[in-house]
Amino acid sequence: PEVTTVGASLGMGKNVQIPYEPCPWHEPTKEDDLIECTDKTTHTINPLEADSWAVCAERNFRWTCPKNFPVMCEDLDCDGSADYCCQTRVDRCKTGEERMCPPMLMSDLGEWHGLLTPGATVSRGTTTTLDPLDAFLMRTLVTTTAASVATQYEALPMPLIITASVGGAFVCILAICAFIFKEHFTVMAHSLVGAPRLLKAVWSDPIHVFTASPPPDIHPALPPLKSAAQLEKERLDDQANTALRSGVDAAFQRGFRGLCAYHGCPPPAEEDTLIWAMDAVRSRGLDLMGENPILLKRAETWLRTLHAERGLLKASAQARPELLIVGNRQNLQGLPGKPWLSTLEGQTCEGEIRDLAWSNIEALSEAIKTAKEASAQENLVKNNKALLGELIARTRELPADRCVLDPEGDGLKLLPKGHQRAIKGFTGESYLYHKETRLAGDVDEAPPPSELLDDVATDAARPV
């Protein structure tokens, strides 16, 4: 390998032989306007042209500066802050510092030979003078120390000290009690051995003091008589409780799901009865009495499933005809040879039809979500999910204001119904907008969670 001599410029104090040059930028090239790159190639530059200085950009970095620009600066301020600058003097560098040799690349350090770095030399500065106060204290040291308090009391017997302390504390407590409870002690003494106790015994009547107690009453008192209004209230309360219990039993005997067979089917007979019983119990304030909380919860679950299945069948019936519309252009008023879709009226009509179809698709998607949350019939939900996937697959262009990227990286997703994505006209930044509340979110706000987004992937053989 090539052997290079490195001298005292690297802080070693002497010249040593090393197998490579760790800091080649300390020595410039032998010619003016000749620069060397890290791939060992040399190039002639024009100092007045900035592009010629960037010749080493494609060859990593500058390795050696030209002879007429011998100093390589410390920071990366040239070629778009990607390379080191070459200057004629150190003070012309932007930071005023020359590029130093990293200790990691050096095969020999001055510290190994007992030499300190410049920073360590400054911090290790010493002085030959001594503080006058320290010098005085060193000359005036004493040979004896003052006796401590513990030493002075060491000759006293410890049991005597403890006994005196406890006795003094006991006497103080007795004095405080006598001062505070003086009146109470006087009254108590007179009532025990004085004239008041003797007069109480004389005035007491032996007949009433020593007579037998009356026998207990074995016949408890009758409850108070209830009014007609109270009896009527109790009757109506019992009627409401009984109706709720019977309505819940009848509803669950009919079934837990699959309560509607087709769109427009007549409502089950148990629905109206159950709703009336729930309203009666709540209006009379009986919703927290007995087992009514459990019965009300079961009734609400049954009604929620019924309404979810009914709503899903309705949304499916409205969205199914869109299979013939979605993905096909509707030339409603076009004449032979007339470019109907190129006119403003034709495009407006086409957009209205497409918006109506997409609103039905959105309604079907929301109905599927509601049905899943209400534990509706699985086959009904599965069939309508297949219908929704078919409608989305036939849609040639998904609404741009409804499409977002899945926050979990699962591809393209659709925003929930009522949410839109808008773009600022001046900056091009996106934000979310709610149509019903007319409230806009922050710029680059994260989309709703994945469980609230709709999927657009329908079939691996027919990707959207």
Side-chain angles (χ1 to χ4, degrees), residues 367-441:
I368 291 175
K369 292 181 181 179
T370 305
K372 290 178 63 177
E373 294 175 358
S375 302
Q377 188 179 12
E378 295 181 359
N379 290 335
L380 179 63
V381 176
K382 181 179 179 180
N383 294 336
N384 284 277
K385 288 183 67 175
L387 174 61
L388 177 63
E390 184 70 17
L391 290 171
I392 294 178
R394 293 193 180 192
T395 303
R396 295 183 178 182
E397 298 179 1
L398 296 175
D401 58 347
R402 298 292 312 287
C403 297
V404 294
L405 294 177
D406 186 16
E408 299 181 0
D410 195 15
L412 196 64
K413 296 290 184 178
L414 291 176
L415 290 171
K417 184 178 181 181
H419 292 77
Q420 290 185 351
R421 184 174 62 88
I423 303 295
K424 284 191 174 182
F426 295 98
T427 61
E429 297 174 322
S430 62
Y431 61 93
L432 298 181
Y433 176 76
H434 197 279
K435 295 178 61 177
E436 296 181 358
T437 60
R438 304 179 67 87
L439 296 177

Side-chain angles (χ1 to χ4, degrees), residues 40-56:
K40 295 297 184 179
T41 59
T42 57
H43 306 274
T44 302
I45 64 171
N46 185 359
L48 302 180
E49 294 182 1
D51 295 340
S52 65
W53 282 97
V55 67
C56 292

Side-chain angles (χ1 to χ4, degrees), residues 3-58:
V3 178
T4 304
T5 301
V6 180
S9 61
L10 298 181
M12 301 178 185
K14 60 181 180 178
N15 294 334
V16 295
Q17 298 290 333
I18 58 175
Y20 69 98
E21 173 58 61
C23 307
W25 52 84
H26 283 175
E27 297 292 337
T29 59
K30 304 301 182 181
E31 301 177 9
D32 293 343
D33 301 334
L34 183 66
I35 192 170
E36 182 180 1
C37 302
T38 55
D39 60 351
K40 295 297 184 179
T41 59
T42 57
H43 306 274
T44 302
I45 64 171
N46 185 359
L48 302 180
E49 294 182 1
D51 295 340
S52 65
W53 282 97
V55 67
C56 292
E58 299 178 354

Side-chain angles (χ1 to χ4, degrees), residues 312 315-316 319 359-368 384 387-388 391:
L312 182 57
S316 175
S359 64
N360 292 334
I361 295 176
E362 282 187 329
L364 178 60
S365 175
E366 294 297 324
I368 291 175
N384 284 277
L387 174 61
L388 177 63
L391 290 171

